[in-house]
Amino acid sequence: MSKKHIVVIEGDGIGPEVTAQAVRVLDAVSEQYGHEFEYEYCLMGACAIDQTGHPLPNATIEACLRSDAVLFGAIGDPKYDNDPKAKVRPEQGLLQLRKSLQLFANIRPVSAYESLHHLSPLKTERITGVDFVIYRELTGGIYFGEKTLDETGNIASDNCVYSRSEIERIAHLAFKHAQIRRKKVTLVDKANVLETSRLWRKVVQELAPQYPDITLDYLFVDNAAMQIILNPAQFDIILTENMFGDIISDEASVISGSLGLLPSASIGTGAALFEPIHGSYPQAKGLDIANPIGAILSAAMLLDHLEMNTEATAIRDAVQWTMENGKVTKDIDPIHHYSTSVVGDIICRHVTKQSIDKEGLRNLMNRVSTII
Ligand code: IPM
Ligand code: MG
């Protein structure tokens, strides 16, 4: 029995509805395994701007700093996207939260469910056996360097800065994770052009002897972008800086067939944050059609982080069951699909070991929607 204080940031668009399912699944876990999760709901993003004028109110930062973990939905609203002059943007909230919590490592697992291979834009033979994890540095580099715009408004710059210690701390995590996987780390950089990338290579090379069981190799980011499509099964752990990681993790996410499936963890010195990798998908807001799996698997990563590995595995098993048995949302099966909340129901039932066959399923089946 363990008591945990979890901050929930639902955010914008479909954030609230997918996060609601992840919270229900956490409740199912607490019921089944006798834990107590206490939730504190906080604002961030466009909804926070609307209500408080700021994308990240101080109260949210303080609550996160006091918490055991943060569960986050999605951020962004079209009303800010196409206005380069907007002074406040929802995304600033997320960047500031990463910095405030020192969430220096963003961890994104990429794998392809066998039952969904047909959904991937890549050929089945290419994605069979794909199972890798991206370690993206999250609080440094060009995202956080000095930004300038000259008085004429015609010249702009974004500075990219990295220090040895920023590289070392994430590299250690990547090496350690590789040790319990297939023992390979690929550093992705642009060391043929960028000074920061040369520093990454030097520092990572210097750490490598501490992990003699790990094979370390290097790829320039342009080549890495190509290899992720050509032969994604070659990767085990990819380690990279902030912006390269942003780009290749979106690229890698298409391998699985739906953006809605993938979770992520952002780990720092204190409370860690867990979020699906998809965005706020404003077109689907409130329609109960969004895929909750990314959010639910983020809750599983949260439990792993709190060292509740059996509980996390129970969630993953339940998710696997829904995939194999076609209990999926519209992005996965456009003909026979279930709503966001019914997929959440089914996963909760699986976690609490209630029968999902016969009566239970018949009730749920009545809610299946069919597009003709
Ligand atoms: C991500 C997103 C963010 C990023 C945006 C919303 C600022 O794309 O988490 O990958 O660029 O880091
Ligand atoms: Mg991104």
Side-chain angles (χ1 to χ4, degrees), residues 108 136 143 246 249-250:
R108 294 187 180 189
R136 165 190 174 194
Y143 271 60
D246 179 46
S249 54
D250 266 27

Side-chain angles (χ1 to χ4, degrees), residues 122-141:
L122 301 190
K123 294 197 176 87
T124 299
E125 63 263 30
R126 297 229 159 135
I127 58 174
T128 304
V130 168
D131 173 18
F132 63 91
V133 184
I134 300 175
Y135 272 73
R136 165 190 174 194
E137 201 289 329
L138 204 58
T139 50

Side-chain angles (χ1 to χ4, degrees), residues 75 91 94-95 98 106 108 136 138 143 242 246 249-250 275 277:
I75 206 165
E91 289 78 5
L94 183 57
L95 296 178
R98 287 173 180 168
N106 182 236
R108 294 187 180 189
R136 165 190 174 194
L138 204 58
Y143 271 60
N242 202 343
D246 179 46
S249 54
D250 266 27
E275 61 174 308
I277 75 155

